[in-house]
Amino acid sequence: MNGICEGRVVVVTGAGRGLGRAHALAFAAEGARVVVNDLGVGLDGTPDADSPAARVVAEIRAAGGEAVAHGADIATTPGAASLVRTALDTYGRLDTLVNNAGFLRDRMLVNLDEEEWDAVVRVHLTGHFLPLKHAAAHWRAETKAGRPPAARIVNTSSGAGLLGAVGQGNYSAAKAGVVALTLVAAAELARYGVQVNAVAPAARTRMTERTFADRMAPPETGFDTMAPENVSPLVVWLGSTACTGVTGRVFEAEGGRITVMNGWHRGPTTTNPTRWTPTEAGETTRALLAKAPQPAPVYGQ
């Protein structure tokens, strides 16, 4: 298969279904050899009876591509280390890491218990950090050995991480953390030839089928705007050498729309040459807020 990822080795986590599956198939269609990671669990993190990663590998191979399954828990150090090792042992290299794995345990904050908080933060945030850490350690070693890579990391945030979402305090916090992790990783890893970006996708998957219940039917044009396959072209491009020079950025992707997200930036400001009193600080802050645009509403507000 020829394409913009010809010869590259790509790892995709959470690739057994939904967005991850779409990404894995799209990378393979562009010539990549793919490590398909999926723990094979339900939406709440409990084990499923089948092996979705193996099915995706079979799809890729049936289309003439190369792929291997990986079923370990990448939110653990042994699992993340074995993920990178699988790519190296199978294909002799690693070029791109797509962090995508996740699940939901939605609750309003007053009903959200500690286990539900920890589980979602662990899978989404730790599940990004550990594969990133082990992949970056490999690329650093390659650079020090005189083999600087053209490496890419694509992280998965969410509109909930950018704006917040009612009933998803744990998920929103984890996905906001993914954005911050992306910015830090882009700054720290640039010296090793690693570009790091994030996407905030909107697509119909197991995790979002209720959210997008009113958008289930494809429009008359035949273009299903909520299909996960619509997000994958941007992810594939960010995972290729074609995106050279693009790093530390966050993109929204939905249907045929791609948006560059600007993130936090300094708005109206003023400085006092001495310490404020609480009353002065409050009056000044209200004046600054009057000059600032209103924040976008939280999803579900």
Side-chain angles (χ1 to χ4, degrees):
M1 293 184 181
N2 297 317
I4 65 171
C5 289
E6 183 68 31
R8 292 179 71 79
V9 174
V10 178
V11 168
V12 184
T13 70
R17 302 180 179 89
L19 283 163
R21 171 183 172 274
H23 299 341
L25 294 173
F27 272 109
E30 290 294 329
R33 293 167 287 177
V34 186
V35 178
V36 179
N37 162 266
D38 201 284
L39 189 56
V41 298
L43 284 177
D44 61 354
T46 57
D48 273 355
D50 59 2
S51 174
R55 291 202 307 269
V56 175
V57 168
E59 286 186 77
I60 291 172
R61 291 176 177 173
E66 296 183 56
V68 63
H70 177 270
D73 183 356
I74 47 82
T76 67
T77 292
S82 73
L83 178 68
V84 172
R85 193 163 55 248
T86 296
L88 298 177
D89 290 349
T90 306
Y91 299 118
R93 61 185 297 133
L94 173 60
D95 300 290
T96 296
L97 167 65
V98 179
N99 284 315
N100 171 76
F103 67 83
L104 297 176
R105 290 189 181 176
D106 293 352
R107 295 264 193 273
M108 301 299 279
L109 287 172
V110 295
N111 297 322
L112 184 64
D113 65 34
E114 184 178 0
E115 188 278 331
E116 291 166 328
W117 172 274
D118 288 345
V120 169
V121 171
R122 173 187 176 275
V123 171
H124 286 277
L125 191 50
T126 306
H128 271 63
F129 161 65
L130 287 174
L132 183 156
K133 173 185 175 179
H134 287 275
H138 165 68
W139 289 322
R140 180 182 63 178
E142 287 291 285
T143 299
K144 290 183 175 181
R147 299 184 295 269
R152 305 289 185 262
I153 298 174
V154 185
N155 292 329
T156 306
S157 184
S158 167
L162 302 175
L163 300 176
V166 171
Q168 292 189 315
N170 48 3
Y171 178 73
S172 297
K175 288 304 193 183
V178 167
V179 171
L181 177 64
T182 299
L183 302 180
V184 173
E188 290 188 1
L189 302 181
R191 72 189 73 177
Y192 306 125
V194 185
Q195 293 182 187
V196 190
N197 295 284
V199 294
R204 186 174 56 252
T205 67
R206 290 192 306 164
M207 285 175 53
T208 61
E209 59 186 359
R210 293 183 181 179
T211 303
F212 300 129
D214 60 340
R215 300 164 71 176
M216 292 293 287
E220 293 181 359
T221 62
F223 178 43
D224 183 358
T225 58
M226 300 314 297
E229 289 78 7
N230 299 331
V231 177
S232 299
L234 174 61
V235 173
V236 170
W237 184 76
L238 291 171
S240 74
T241 57
C243 74
T244 297
V246 179
T247 192
R249 305 306 292 260
V250 180
F251 304 88
E252 277 192 336
E254 174 186 346
R257 177 175 61 85
I258 296 172
T259 303
V260 178
M261 304 301 289
N262 288 325
W264 289 104
H265 58 277
R266 292 183 175 86
T269 185
T270 190
T271 302
N272 191 350
T274 186
R275 184 179 300 145
W276 303 99
T277 68
T279 298
E280 290 171 339
E283 291 172 349
T284 300
T285 299
R286 287 194 178 277
L288 292 174
L289 288 171
K291 301 175 184 177
Q294 289 295 311
V298 170
Y299 285 106
Q301 188 172 15

